[in-house]
Amino acid sequence: MLKKSILLGSILLLLTFTGCSQDNGDINSMLSTNEYVLKGLDSKEYIVKKVGKGFTLENSKGKVIIFDIFATWCPPCRASASHLTSLQKKYKDDLVIIGLSIEDNIPNTKLQEFAKKYDAQYILVNSAQNRVLSDAIVKELGLGDRYPIPTMAMYKDSKLINHFVGMVEEEFIESDIKQALGK
């Protein structure tokens, strides 16, 4: 009787610590939790990797990367778009801006309308991994589960330079870009 109780207890303990698999059978479940494949509106794939507590874009060594976490319906996010475009144009060879919409299942046409109306001339991605990457970035920033938007995180070679929450003056963002680039 004691052997059966120990065996049953062991099985229950094993099941408790094993948990349930959330494998959906899609590519997202096959990817490492440290790698995110994002599909841009330009039809290109962008691979973002988590390195330590930071994030980097594949083939972007020495460049400043800004992840702009936004929503198309958000007024401060709309206002930020033209400022980010201005910075992207000014630092074109040294800066990559990636707009990560937190809206689930948003059609590309809605993102294209946002880009046109609010002059968002930088990389906008529309992928199932947008929310996953956004949440991972925000978690590393320590902003909690219910974070405000827009939230921007700036990295260079996977090291956090700074992050911004809410509407931020272009000059503040540019100051951090210059400092990171040594200009």
Side-chain angles (χ1 to χ4, degrees):
M1 183 71 171
L2 181 61
K3 287 182 184 180
K4 287 183 182 180
S5 296
I6 291 173
L7 180 62
L8 182 60
S10 298
I11 291 172
L12 288 174
L13 189 62
L14 180 65
L15 289 174
T16 300
F17 287 111
T18 303
C20 298
S21 171
Q22 293 182 354
D23 183 9
N24 297 329
D26 62 7
I27 191 164
N28 293 334
S29 63
M30 293 182 235
L31 295 171
S32 161
T33 57
N34 293 328
E35 186 174 288
Y36 308 85
V37 179
L38 308 172
K39 182 85 168 185
L41 287 183
D42 57 4
S43 298
K44 292 181 185 175
E45 279 191 350
Y46 298 92
I47 299 173
V48 175
K49 294 183 180 184
K50 185 173 188 305
V51 180
K53 292 186 176 249
F55 296 85
T56 188
L57 180 65
E58 191 172 72
N59 300 320
S60 65
K61 186 162 179 58
K63 294 184 179 187
V64 173
I65 311 299
I66 296 177
F67 294 100
D68 175 37
I69 302 169
F70 77 102
T72 58
W73 48 261
C74 163
C77 301
R78 293 172 175 176
S80 295
S82 64
H83 297 294
L84 292 174
T85 295
S86 173
L87 292 167
Q88 182 67 77
K89 288 178 179 179
K90 191 171 188 175
Y91 296 96
K92 59 182 168 229
D93 295 330
D94 298 318
L95 175 67
V96 179
I97 299 172
I98 299 180
L100 295 166
S101 172
I102 61 165
E103 298 165 88
D104 295 326
N105 301 317
I106 184 172
N108 281 347
T109 53
K110 190 167 184 177
L111 273 180
Q112 289 164 339
E113 289 169 13
F114 172 86
K116 185 175 181 179
K117 187 171 184 178
Y118 300 103
D119 193 31
Q121 296 178 34
Y122 46 89
I123 299 167
L124 293 176
V125 293
N126 194 12
S127 174
Q129 290 203 319
N130 278 22
R131 180 67 77 127
V132 177
L133 176 57
S134 297
D135 289 348
I137 290 170
V138 168
K139 179 181 178 187
E140 288 300 333
L141 296 175
L143 299 178
D145 292 335
R146 298 184 146 262
Y147 52 89
I149 54 173
T151 294
M152 288 181 233
M154 185 183 303
Y155 298 89
K156 182 177 178 201
D157 297 330
S158 75
K159 296 199 177 23
L160 179 67
I161 296 165
N162 201 354
H163 75 278
F164 307 98
V165 176
M167 183 65 187
V168 178
E169 295 292 327
E170 184 176 327
E171 292 80 17
F172 292 127
I173 301 169
E174 184 172 16
S175 175
D176 285 339
I177 292 169
K178 283 180 180 179
Q179 187 175 353
L181 296 173
K183 294 185 177 187

